[in-house]
Amino acid sequence: MGADGFVPLRALLQLPQFQSFSAEDVQRVVETNGKQRFALQPGEPGTGPLIRANQGHSLQVPELELMPLETPQALPPMLAHGTFWKHWPSILLKGLSCQGRTHIHLAPGLPEDPGIISGMRPNCEVAVFINGPLALADGIPFFRSANGVILTPGNTDGLLLPKYFKEALQLRPTRKLLSLAGHKETECQSGPKHSSRGGRRKIQQ
């Protein structure tokens, strides 16, 4: 694998789990993937086309072309991490973890919001909203990937601690604000409000 995360497609297709696929199959997946998770580029004549994942790596990729977000103004107004009920007690206690990856993934909105293509699975049950400026002020870096996902390595332990949580919202089966103190949930019948112009979802403070 190169420093930019690209590997020869030819070598990938020689692996046992991919031998039933063709280069055309891979190109079709890259072009039609709604979350734009992958990138293809021409390689040298001796290697042929190259492919990489835009984020989600378990290995350090030093030249992944991530855009640093170094000021509060550069951060999206919303930073949301999607998860599931089974993980929520641990997240509430310890914070968000890289979970073996190089970064924690955040979305600049919820899955149904306009323009949001990646960063959160559509079937997530809980959304955790992050106070990005506070984390940034504590020296935690943020980046934007090629497909619009916001990435952070967290602190030196690979964690984004609960003190950076602004709010948490149950997404399914109904919308409810969740207590960050682990107490009884408070109802949020309408969920986060949209602006009158149909723009980005606004979380009540």
Side-chain angles (χ1 to χ4, degrees), residues 9 11-22 25-26:
L9 179 58
L12 185 71
L13 294 177
Q14 290 175 353
L15 297 175
Q17 61 267 45
F18 297 118
Q19 287 181 356
S20 62
F21 299 97
S22 67
D25 293 329
V26 174

Side-chain angles (χ1 to χ4, degrees), residues 24-40:
E24 291 74 20
D25 293 329
V26 174
Q27 183 169 355
R28 183 170 58 255
V29 168
V30 172
E31 292 175 351
T32 60
N33 182 260
K35 293 182 177 291
Q36 299 180 12
R37 287 193 174 108
F38 310 101
L40 273 173

Side-chain angles (χ1 to χ4, degrees), residues 140-201:
I140 293 178
F142 291 86
F143 305 90
R144 188 189 304 273
S145 71
N147 60 336
V149 177
I150 309 303
L151 305 172
T152 176
N155 62 15
T156 54
D157 295 319
L159 296 172
L160 203 52
L161 298 176
K163 71 175 183 175
Y164 302 119
F165 296 174
K166 285 200 302 187
E167 282 187 338
L169 182 68
Q170 173 184 298
L171 299 176
R172 301 169 185 276
T174 58
R175 293 277 173 94
K176 294 180 183 180
L177 285 175
L178 302 175
S179 172
L180 295 179
H183 295 263
K184 186 177 180 181
E185 304 147 15
T186 56
E187 290 285 344
C188 180
Q189 298 292 347
S190 59
K193 295 182 178 179
H194 282 284
S195 69
S196 59
R197 297 182 181 178
R200 190 176 298 278
R201 192 177 295 270

Side-chain angles (χ1 to χ4, degrees), residues 9-176:
L9 179 58
R10 182 185 307 162
L12 185 71
L13 294 177
Q14 290 175 353
L15 297 175
Q17 61 267 45
F18 297 118
Q19 287 181 356
S20 62
F21 299 97
S22 67
E24 291 74 20
D25 293 329
V26 174
Q27 183 169 355
R28 183 170 58 255
V29 168
V30 172
E31 292 175 351
T32 60
N33 182 260
K35 293 182 177 291
Q36 299 180 12
R37 287 193 174 108
F38 310 101
L40 273 173
Q41 73 174 25
E44 299 295 330
T47 61
L50 306 174
I51 187 170
R52 76 172 179 197
N54 284 321
Q55 87 279 321
H57 301 88
S58 56
L59 300 174
Q60 291 292 337
V61 183
E63 298 178 16
L64 194 54
E65 301 172 9
L66 299 178
M67 178 187 297
L69 304 175
E70 299 175 336
T71 66
Q73 295 76 22
L75 292 171
M78 181 187 294
L79 293 173
H81 178 86
T83 188
F84 297 90
W85 276 119
K86 63 182 179 180
H87 302 307
W88 177 234
S90 175
I91 290 172
L92 191 56
L93 180 65
K94 301 177 182 178
L96 296 172
S97 169
C98 290
Q99 293 291 334
R101 295 180 174 184
T102 56
H103 295 100
I104 298 163
H105 292 198
L106 304 170
L110 297 180
E112 69 270 21
D113 285 349
I116 304 301
I117 61 172
S118 194
M120 184 186 301
R121 293 188 179 103
N123 62 333
C124 283
E125 298 166 325
V126 176
V128 186
F129 300 96
I130 304 302
N131 188 331
L134 179 61
L136 200 63
D138 285 350
I140 293 178
F142 291 86
F143 305 90
R144 188 189 304 273
S145 71
N147 60 336
V149 177
I150 309 303
L151 305 172
T152 176
N155 62 15
T156 54
D157 295 319
L159 296 172
L160 203 52
L161 298 176
K163 71 175 183 175
Y164 302 119
F165 296 174
K166 285 200 302 187
E167 282 187 338
L169 182 68
Q170 173 184 298
L171 299 176
R172 301 169 185 276
T174 58
R175 293 277 173 94
K176 294 180 183 180

